[in-house]
Amino acid sequence: MMFTMLLFPSLALGRGGCPEPLSLQDPAVAERFNLTSFAGHYFELQLHDVTQVHNLCGCQTSNKSIVTRNGNVVIDDDFLMLCPGPHVEPGGEIYPSALSFNLTANPGVLHGHWPVLPSQLFPDTVVAVGWPDLDGNPYRWLLEFQCVEKAGLIVFVGVNFYSRWTTSDPRGVTANEEMAAAAAKWGVYNYTKGPGGFTTVNHTGCPQM
């Protein structure tokens, strides 16, 4: 996701500025967001990224850890994907991205950072979650939205469909359907030219990541 900003730093998408985070967020997330439920390992089922080649990489996963750094609570996100590369495991080479997110005054609204572009802030909104059967248990899925603007124009939009399961599991199929419904309900598709602007991630034959 974020490495593409290095390659296309002046890309303008011909739209107005980014939406206010709370305008896209399920009010229940603002009321009930729980970091303990948020943490853990996810498979990315779908993504929107205007600067990535469709289906070039696969097997994307996100492992979110809650840590304290310099007295502040921080979310570390170890994001991995399998892409074509010179040192080829079966299917490709694993590429890591060490992302981190600071909390803000609004629950589920985060400020993302990537060490390769330390001066660039990546606003991230947890739009909706798959609520667990029991409060405090892990969320079943996460719908995240990132938007960066320059000079009043959107230059990057990223959307992540994160699930505890791949679609080889019926629970992953349900999660994918629920995230698509949430993206439509909360206006995410307004910034992605609809559901057709997404790439489905291939998790077939992936190594453990």
Short mmCIF file of all heavy atoms in Angstrom, two decimals, residues 169-204:
data_model
loop_
_atom_site.label_atom_id
_atom_site.label_comp_id
_atom_site.label_asym_id
_atom_site.label_seq_id
_atom_site.Cartn_x
_atom_site.Cartn_y
_atom_site.Cartn_z
N ASP A 169 -12.69 -20.59 4.25
CA ASP A 169 -13.48 -20.89 5.44
C ASP A 169 -14.82 -20.16 5.31
O ASP A 169 -14.84 -18.96 4.95
CB ASP A 169 -12.73 -20.41 6.68
CG ASP A 169 -13.39 -20.80 7.99
OD1 ASP A 169 -14.59 -20.54 8.17
OD2 ASP A 169 -12.68 -21.36 8.87
N PRO A 170 -15.95 -20.81 5.58
CA PRO A 170 -17.23 -20.11 5.47
C PRO A 170 -17.31 -18.83 6.30
O PRO A 170 -18.00 -17.88 5.92
CB PRO A 170 -18.24 -21.15 5.97
CG PRO A 170 -17.58 -22.47 5.71
CD PRO A 170 -16.12 -22.24 5.92
N ARG A 171 -16.58 -18.78 7.41
CA ARG A 171 -16.58 -17.56 8.22
C ARG A 171 -15.90 -16.41 7.47
O ARG A 171 -16.29 -15.24 7.63
CB ARG A 171 -15.88 -17.82 9.55
CG ARG A 171 -16.63 -18.80 10.46
CD ARG A 171 -15.81 -19.20 11.66
NE ARG A 171 -14.63 -19.99 11.28
CZ ARG A 171 -13.74 -20.51 12.12
NH1 ARG A 171 -13.90 -20.30 13.43
NH2 ARG A 171 -12.72 -21.21 11.69
N GLY A 172 -14.90 -16.74 6.65
CA GLY A 172 -14.27 -15.72 5.83
C GLY A 172 -15.19 -15.22 4.74
O GLY A 172 -15.18 -14.03 4.40
N VAL A 173 -15.97 -16.12 4.15
CA VAL A 173 -16.95 -15.72 3.14
C VAL A 173 -17.96 -14.75 3.74
O VAL A 173 -18.28 -13.70 3.16
CB VAL A 173 -17.67 -16.95 2.55
CG1 VAL A 173 -18.78 -16.53 1.61
CG2 VAL A 173 -16.66 -17.85 1.83
N THR A 174 -18.46 -15.08 4.92
CA THR A 174 -19.41 -14.20 5.61
C THR A 174 -18.78 -12.85 5.92
O THR A 174 -19.40 -11.79 5.71
CB THR A 174 -19.91 -14.87 6.90
OG1 THR A 174 -20.59 -16.07 6.57
CG2 THR A 174 -20.85 -13.95 7.66
N ALA A 175 -17.54 -12.86 6.41
CA ALA A 175 -16.84 -11.62 6.73
C ALA A 175 -16.69 -10.75 5.50
O ALA A 175 -16.92 -9.53 5.53
CB ALA A 175 -15.48 -11.93 7.34
N ASN A 176 -16.33 -11.35 4.38
CA ASN A 176 -16.16 -10.60 3.14
C ASN A 176 -17.47 -9.95 2.70
O ASN A 176 -17.50 -8.78 2.29
CB ASN A 176 -15.65 -11.55 2.06
CG ASN A 176 -15.01 -10.84 0.89
OD1 ASN A 176 -14.37 -9.81 1.04
ND2 ASN A 176 -15.18 -11.40 -0.30
N GLU A 177 -18.55 -10.69 2.80
CA GLU A 177 -19.86 -10.14 2.43
C GLU A 177 -20.27 -9.01 3.37
O GLU A 177 -20.80 -7.98 2.93
CB GLU A 177 -20.90 -11.26 2.47
CG GLU A 177 -20.70 -12.32 1.39
CD GLU A 177 -21.61 -13.53 1.56
OE1 GLU A 177 -22.23 -13.65 2.64
OE2 GLU A 177 -21.69 -14.34 0.63
N GLU A 178 -20.00 -9.16 4.64
CA GLU A 178 -20.37 -8.13 5.61
C GLU A 178 -19.53 -6.87 5.41
O GLU A 178 -20.03 -5.75 5.55
CB GLU A 178 -20.21 -8.67 7.03
CG GLU A 178 -21.24 -9.73 7.39
CD GLU A 178 -21.05 -10.30 8.79
OE1 GLU A 178 -20.04 -9.96 9.45
OE2 GLU A 178 -21.92 -11.09 9.23
N MET A 179 -18.25 -7.02 5.08
CA MET A 179 -17.41 -5.85 4.83
C MET A 179 -17.86 -5.11 3.58
O MET A 179 -17.87 -3.87 3.55
CB MET A 179 -15.94 -6.27 4.73
CG MET A 179 -15.32 -6.59 6.08
SD MET A 179 -13.55 -6.93 6.00
CE MET A 179 -13.54 -8.64 5.46
N ALA A 180 -18.24 -5.85 2.53
CA ALA A 180 -18.75 -5.21 1.32
C ALA A 180 -20.03 -4.42 1.63
O ALA A 180 -20.20 -3.29 1.14
CB ALA A 180 -19.01 -6.26 0.25
N ALA A 181 -20.90 -4.98 2.44
CA ALA A 181 -22.12 -4.27 2.81
C ALA A 181 -21.80 -3.02 3.62
O ALA A 181 -22.42 -1.97 3.43
CB ALA A 181 -23.04 -5.21 3.60
N ALA A 182 -20.81 -3.12 4.51
CA ALA A 182 -20.42 -1.97 5.32
C ALA A 182 -19.79 -0.88 4.46
O ALA A 182 -20.03 0.31 4.68
CB ALA A 182 -19.46 -2.40 6.42
N ALA A 183 -18.98 -1.29 3.46
CA ALA A 183 -18.36 -0.31 2.56
C ALA A 183 -19.43 0.47 1.80
O ALA A 183 -19.30 1.69 1.60
CB ALA A 183 -17.41 -1.00 1.60
N ALA A 184 -20.48 -0.22 1.39
CA ALA A 184 -21.58 0.45 0.70
C ALA A 184 -22.35 1.35 1.66
O ALA A 184 -22.68 2.50 1.34
CB ALA A 184 -22.51 -0.59 0.07
N LYS A 185 -22.63 0.85 2.84
CA LYS A 185 -23.47 1.58 3.81
C LYS A 185 -22.81 2.88 4.26
O LYS A 185 -23.48 3.92 4.38
CB LYS A 185 -23.75 0.70 5.01
CG LYS A 185 -24.61 1.38 6.08
CD LYS A 185 -24.95 0.42 7.21
CE LYS A 185 -25.84 1.08 8.25
NZ LYS A 185 -26.21 0.13 9.34
N TRP A 186 -21.49 2.84 4.50
CA TRP A 186 -20.82 4.00 5.10
C TRP A 186 -20.11 4.88 4.08
O TRP A 186 -19.38 5.79 4.45
CB TRP A 186 -19.86 3.54 6.20
CG TRP A 186 -20.58 2.80 7.28
CD1 TRP A 186 -20.50 1.47 7.58
CD2 TRP A 186 -21.56 3.35 8.17
NE1 TRP A 186 -21.35 1.15 8.60
CE2 TRP A 186 -22.02 2.28 8.99
CE3 TRP A 186 -22.09 4.62 8.37
CZ2 TRP A 186 -22.98 2.47 9.98
CZ3 TRP A 186 -23.04 4.81 9.36
CH2 TRP A 186 -23.48 3.74 10.14
N GLY A 187 -20.31 4.63 2.79
CA GLY A 187 -19.84 5.56 1.77
C GLY A 187 -18.42 5.34 1.28
O GLY A 187 -17.89 6.16 0.53
N VAL A 188 -17.80 4.23 1.65
CA VAL A 188 -16.43 3.96 1.21
C VAL A 188 -16.36 3.85 -0.31
O VAL A 188 -15.42 4.35 -0.95
CB VAL A 188 -15.89 2.67 1.88
CG1 VAL A 188 -14.59 2.22 1.24
CG2 VAL A 188 -15.72 2.89 3.38
N TYR A 189 -17.37 3.22 -0.91
CA TYR A 189 -17.35 3.02 -2.36
C TYR A 189 -17.41 4.34 -3.14
O TYR A 189 -17.08 4.37 -4.33
CB TYR A 189 -18.51 2.13 -2.79
CG TYR A 189 -18.34 0.67 -2.45
CD1 TYR A 189 -19.45 -0.13 -2.18
CD2 TYR A 189 -17.08 0.07 -2.41
CE1 TYR A 189 -19.31 -1.48 -1.88
CE2 TYR A 189 -16.93 -1.27 -2.11
CZ TYR A 189 -18.05 -2.04 -1.85
OH TYR A 189 -17.90 -3.38 -1.55
N ASN A 190 -17.80 5.43 -2.47
CA ASN A 190 -17.80 6.73 -3.16
C ASN A 190 -16.39 7.16 -3.53
O ASN A 190 -16.21 8.01 -4.41
CB ASN A 190 -18.42 7.79 -2.25
CG ASN A 190 -19.90 7.57 -2.00
OD1 ASN A 190 -20.58 6.90 -2.79
ND2 ASN A 190 -20.41 8.09 -0.90
N TYR A 191 -15.39 6.58 -2.87
CA TYR A 191 -14.00 6.97 -3.10
C TYR A 191 -13.21 5.89 -3.84
O TYR A 191 -12.00 6.00 -4.00
CB TYR A 191 -13.33 7.29 -1.76
CG TYR A 191 -13.98 8.48 -1.10
CD1 TYR A 191 -15.07 8.30 -0.24
CD2 TYR A 191 -13.56 9.77 -1.35
CE1 TYR A 191 -15.72 9.38 0.33
CE2 TYR A 191 -14.19 10.86 -0.79
CZ TYR A 191 -15.27 10.66 0.06
OH TYR A 191 -15.91 11.75 0.61
N THR A 192 -13.90 4.86 -4.31
CA THR A 192 -13.22 3.76 -5.00
C THR A 192 -13.88 3.41 -6.32
O THR A 192 -13.58 2.36 -6.90
CB THR A 192 -13.21 2.50 -4.12
OG1 THR A 192 -14.57 2.03 -3.95
CG2 THR A 192 -12.59 2.76 -2.76
N LYS A 193 -14.79 4.26 -6.80
CA LYS A 193 -15.54 3.99 -8.02
C LYS A 193 -16.33 2.69 -7.89
O LYS A 193 -16.46 1.91 -8.84
CB LYS A 193 -14.63 3.93 -9.24
CG LYS A 193 -13.91 5.25 -9.52
CD LYS A 193 -13.05 5.18 -10.76
CE LYS A 193 -12.38 6.52 -11.03
NZ LYS A 193 -11.50 6.48 -12.22
N GLY A 194 -16.87 2.47 -6.69
CA GLY A 194 -17.72 1.32 -6.46
C GLY A 194 -16.94 0.06 -6.13
O GLY A 194 -15.71 0.06 -6.06
N PRO A 195 -17.66 -1.06 -5.93
CA PRO A 195 -16.99 -2.31 -5.57
C PRO A 195 -16.08 -2.85 -6.65
O PRO A 195 -15.19 -3.67 -6.37
CB PRO A 195 -18.15 -3.27 -5.28
CG PRO A 195 -19.33 -2.68 -5.98
CD PRO A 195 -19.12 -1.19 -5.95
N GLY A 196 -16.25 -2.42 -7.91
CA GLY A 196 -15.39 -2.91 -8.98
C GLY A 196 -13.97 -2.39 -8.91
O GLY A 196 -13.10 -2.86 -9.64
N GLY A 197 -13.71 -1.42 -8.04
CA GLY A 197 -12.37 -0.87 -7.90
C GLY A 197 -11.48 -1.64 -6.94
O GLY A 197 -10.44 -1.14 -6.53
N PHE A 198 -11.87 -2.87 -6.62
CA PHE A 198 -11.14 -3.65 -5.62
C PHE A 198 -10.43 -4.84 -6.26
O PHE A 198 -10.87 -5.39 -7.28
CB PHE A 198 -12.09 -4.16 -4.54
CG PHE A 198 -12.43 -3.11 -3.52
CD1 PHE A 198 -13.28 -2.08 -3.82
CD2 PHE A 198 -11.89 -3.17 -2.23
CE1 PHE A 198 -13.59 -1.09 -2.89
CE2 PHE A 198 -12.18 -2.20 -1.31
CZ PHE A 198 -13.04 -1.16 -1.62
N THR A 199 -9.34 -5.25 -5.63
CA THR A 199 -8.62 -6.46 -5.98
C THR A 199 -8.92 -7.53 -4.94
O THR A 199 -8.82 -7.26 -3.73
CB THR A 199 -7.10 -6.22 -6.03
OG1 THR A 199 -6.82 -5.28 -7.08
CG2 THR A 199 -6.35 -7.51 -6.28
N THR A 200 -9.29 -8.71 -5.38
CA THR A 200 -9.46 -9.84 -4.47
C THR A 200 -8.11 -10.50 -4.26
O THR A 200 -7.42 -10.85 -5.21
CB THR A 200 -10.46 -10.86 -5.06
OG1 THR A 200 -11.74 -10.22 -5.20
CG2 THR A 200 -10.59 -12.07 -4.16
N VAL A 201 -7.74 -10.67 -2.99
CA VAL A 201 -6.42 -11.22 -2.67
C VAL A 201 -6.47 -12.74 -2.76
O VAL A 201 -7.37 -13.39 -2.24
CB VAL A 201 -5.99 -10.78 -1.25
CG1 VAL A 201 -4.67 -11.44 -0.88
CG2 VAL A 201 -5.88 -9.27 -1.17
N ASN A 202 -5.47 -13.29 -3.44
CA ASN A 202 -5.35 -14.75 -3.58
C ASN A 202 -4.57 -15.31 -2.39
O ASN A 202 -3.40 -15.00 -2.19
CB ASN A 202 -4.64 -15.07 -4.89
CG ASN A 202 -4.53 -16.57 -5.14
OD1 ASN A 202 -5.08 -17.37 -4.39
ND2 ASN A 202 -3.81 -16.94 -6.18
N HIS A 203 -5.22 -16.16 -1.61
CA HIS A 203 -4.57 -16.81 -0.47
C HIS A 203 -4.34 -18.31 -0.71
O HIS A 203 -4.03 -19.04 0.23
CB HIS A 203 -5.39 -16.61 0.81
CG HIS A 203 -5.27 -15.21 1.36
ND1 HIS A 203 -4.20 -14.78 2.10
CD2 HIS A 203 -6.11 -14.16 1.27
CE1 HIS A 203 -4.37 -13.54 2.45
NE2 HIS A 203 -5.52 -13.12 1.96
N THR A 204 -4.47 -18.75 -1.94
CA THR A 204 -4.29 -20.16 -2.25
C THR A 204 -2.81 -20.53 -2.21
O THR A 204 -1.97 -19.87 -2.85
CB THR A 204 -4.84 -20.49 -3.65
OG1 THR A 204 -6.23 -20.13 -3.70
CG2 THR A 204 -4.69 -21.96 -3.96
#
